[in-house]
């Protein structure tokens, strides 16, 4: 299985152009220094980051997106494998066959609107999220203004399901979903959120079947766990994560009161539905996975600074801090 991390930041990117916090200010300064040819190597692991975005493929040719970030146009441009291949029947032959949505937070869905010019796509999401996007937000009607365009498919947590293109072709990838919370974004009207249930955020698991790898050798089944927003760790979730070849886990905040300390106000990490990294390091101490990375990194998280003790603690515990444009073959 191929997996590309195209974006690794939480909503708002990193560094934020308008943020005066120490983290952002220093990374911006570092950037200016590098453009003057005086890069201060070693100061930061943090390169500029766009909003969290994955692309996955079983065969290296048909790709599925996990989420659709507001930075998607730029992210697709930066990844040649996702470029349209040829004009066929007057439509663009895009390698992107579909999108799997784990939430309807804006940083997870705004990019859908940027896909309105592609060939038909299949979009998988919870039934409640499909209702919120399609019935409560008429702008998403742009994805169904001609036929054929987007095929919306609701995903249930009952069993893993194959990821299909809009015309029903099997991509070889399997997806499994574990719903995590009923905390819908603030733009969702209270009465809609109340009826929506517990599908506001999901852990997504992607699996490629055992079979031939791109190098021609036989490859075992591979599994990726994508959990960019999670407020608490249930035994069910831990069991599903266990044994994954790659875990991409919520790295939004380092500490629970981070926003308050940096900005003087704001909700706690837990109130926002994110386990702070200093807690998840302990909670996931014994998890058995091939490789583990923190993703969906907020600009306030001190572990973005490669020189910080927090960054060191993460590395010592065997974790990586995800970066943009990281292309992996599992
Ligand atoms: C989150 O991950 O907590 C949300 O995306 C925050 C937001 O609405 O930007
Ligand atoms: Mn988010
Ligand atoms: Zn900042």
């Amino acid at each position: 299985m191929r997996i590309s991390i195209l974006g690794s930041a939480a909503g708002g990117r990193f560094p934020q152009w308008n943020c005066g916090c120490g983290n952002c200010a220093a990374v911006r300064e570092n950037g200016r220094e590098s453009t003057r040819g005086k890069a201060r190597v070693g100061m930061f692991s943090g390169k500029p980051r766009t909003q969290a975005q994955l692309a996955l493929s079983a065969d290296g040719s048909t790709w599925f997106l996990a989420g659709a970030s507001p930075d998607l146009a730029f992210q697709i441009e930066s990844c040649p494998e996702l470029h349209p291949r040829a004009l066929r029947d007057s439509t663009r032959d895009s390698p992107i066959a579909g999108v799997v949505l784990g939430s309807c937070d804006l940083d997870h869905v705004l990019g859908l609107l940027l896909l309105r010019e592609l060939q038909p796509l299949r979009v998988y999401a919870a039934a409640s999220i499909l209702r919120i996007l399609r019935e409560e937000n008429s702008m998403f009607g742009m994805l169904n203004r001609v036929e054929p365009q987007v095929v919306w498919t609701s995903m249930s947590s009952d069993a893993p399901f194959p990821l299909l293109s809009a015309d029903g072709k099997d991509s070889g990838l399997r997806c499994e979903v574990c719903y995590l919370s009923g905390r819908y974004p603030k733009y969702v009207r209270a009465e809609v959120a109340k009826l929506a249930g517990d599908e506001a955020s999901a852990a997504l698991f992607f699996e490629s079947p055992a079979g031939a790898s791109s190098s021609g050798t036989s490859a075992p089944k591979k599994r990726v766990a994508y959990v960019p927003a999670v407020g608490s760790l249930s035994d069910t979730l831990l069991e599903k994560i266990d044994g994954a070849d790659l875990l991409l886990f919520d790295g939004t905040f380092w500490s629970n009161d981070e926003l308050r300390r940096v900005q003087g106000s704001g909700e706690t990490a837990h109130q926002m539905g994110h386990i702070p990294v200093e807690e998840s390091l302990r909670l996931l101490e014994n998890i058995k996975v091939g490789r583990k990375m923190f993703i969906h990194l907020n600009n306030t998280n001190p572990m973005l600074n490669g020189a910080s003790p927090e960054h060191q603690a993460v590395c010592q515990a065997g974790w990586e801090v995800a970066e943009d444009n990281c292309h992996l073959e599992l």
Side-chain angles (χ1 to χ4, degrees):
M1 171 162 38
R2 308 267 300 276
I3 166 160
S4 289
I5 300 171
L6 303 176
S8 53
R13 301 181 166 203
F14 173 74
Q16 290 184 1
W17 68 273
N18 57 355
C19 181
C21 82
N23 261 1
C24 289
V27 169
R28 279 199 306 271
E29 181 56 25
N30 196 37
R32 273 196 288 274
E33 290 287 325
S34 339
T35 56
R36 281 187 226 126
K38 290 187 280 181
R40 285 183 282 166
V41 179
M43 270 288 284
F44 291 95
S45 68
K47 301 171 188 130
R49 287 174 160 87
T50 58
Q51 293 167 79
Q53 181 64 52
L54 302 185
L56 304 108
S57 176
D59 60 5
S61 160
T62 299
W63 291 79
F64 271 79
L65 305 176
S69 102
D71 298 321
L72 193 56
F74 170 77
Q75 290 165 334
I76 291 173
E77 269 176 50
S78 329
C79 183
E81 273 153 329
L82 299 179
H83 292 181
R85 282 178 283 233
L87 290 172
R88 193 185 56 185
D89 307 331
S90 76
T91 58
R92 296 179 175 87
D93 178 21
S94 165
I96 301 171
V99 185
V100 186
L101 300 176
S103 89
C104 59
D105 283 4
L106 292 182
D107 56 340
H108 219 78
V109 300
L110 277 181
L112 275 184
L113 295 170
L114 307 172
L115 299 176
R116 66 191 183 283
E117 311 284 355
L118 293 186
Q119 70 194 23
L121 293 170
R122 191 176 295 262
V123 175
Y124 291 90
S128 62
I129 287 180
L130 294 181
R131 268 200 309 278
I132 288 165
L133 297 181
R134 304 191 64 202
E135 290 167 28
E136 296 287 315
N137 292 277
S138 56
M139 214 181 271
F140 288 92
M142 287 302 277
L143 294 166
N144 289 105
R145 72 191 190 290
V146 295
E147 274 301 322
Q149 209 175 353
V150 168
V151 177
W152 306 86
T153 305
S154 71
M155 54 183 194
S156 117
S157 55
D158 294 345
F161 51 91
L163 291 181
L164 310 176
S165 60
D167 61 6
K169 199 163 148 270
D170 192 336
S171 67
L173 287 174
R174 297 285 172 275
C175 181
E176 191 179 351
V177 57
C178 178
Y179 288 115
L180 301 174
S181 94
R183 191 184 171 282
Y184 287 83
K186 295 200 169 77
Y187 72 81
V188 179
R189 292 186 295 126
E191 57 268 38
V192 173
K194 214 166 77 190
L195 295 173
D198 281 326
E199 308 166 334
S201 61
L204 300 175
F205 301 89
F206 298 94
E207 217 168 85
S208 65
S213 78
S214 52
S215 56
T217 54
S218 127
K221 191 162 91 172
K222 297 289 179 182
R223 186 171 168 89
V224 173
Y226 184 42
V227 197
V230 59
S232 63
L233 275 164
S234 67
D235 288 343
T236 315
L237 179 60
L238 284 171
E239 270 166 38
K240 287 186 189 294
I241 292 175
D242 207 62
D245 299 279
L246 173 65
L247 167 63
L248 294 159
F249 193 82
D250 189 339
T252 314
F253 300 110
W254 175 264
S255 55
N256 194 37
D257 61 350
E258 188 166 309
L259 281 186
R260 256 175 235 169
R261 276 192 291 123
V262 174
Q263 301 174 354
S265 65
E267 293 179 306
T268 64
H270 280 291
Q271 281 166 350
M272 293 181 74
H274 298 288
I275 307 177
V277 172
E278 63 177 354
E279 288 174 31
S280 47
L281 281 179
R282 273 198 313 278
L283 295 168
L284 292 169
E285 203 172 25
N286 298 317
I287 199 85
K288 286 185 208 62
V289 291
R291 202 167 163 180
K292 47 191 181 182
M293 296 185 184
F294 286 110
I295 195 165
H296 192 273
L297 309 156
N298 197 53
N299 57 315
T300 51
N301 192 326
M303 75 183 180
L304 285 164
N305 178 349
S308 67
E310 291 85 357
H311 188 93
Q312 226 168 29
V314 162
C315 297
Q316 266 163 15
W319 287 81
E320 297 170 70
V321 180
E323 293 188 351
D324 290 19
N325 289 313
C326 171
H327 307 279
L328 305 169
E329 170 130 30
L330 298 179

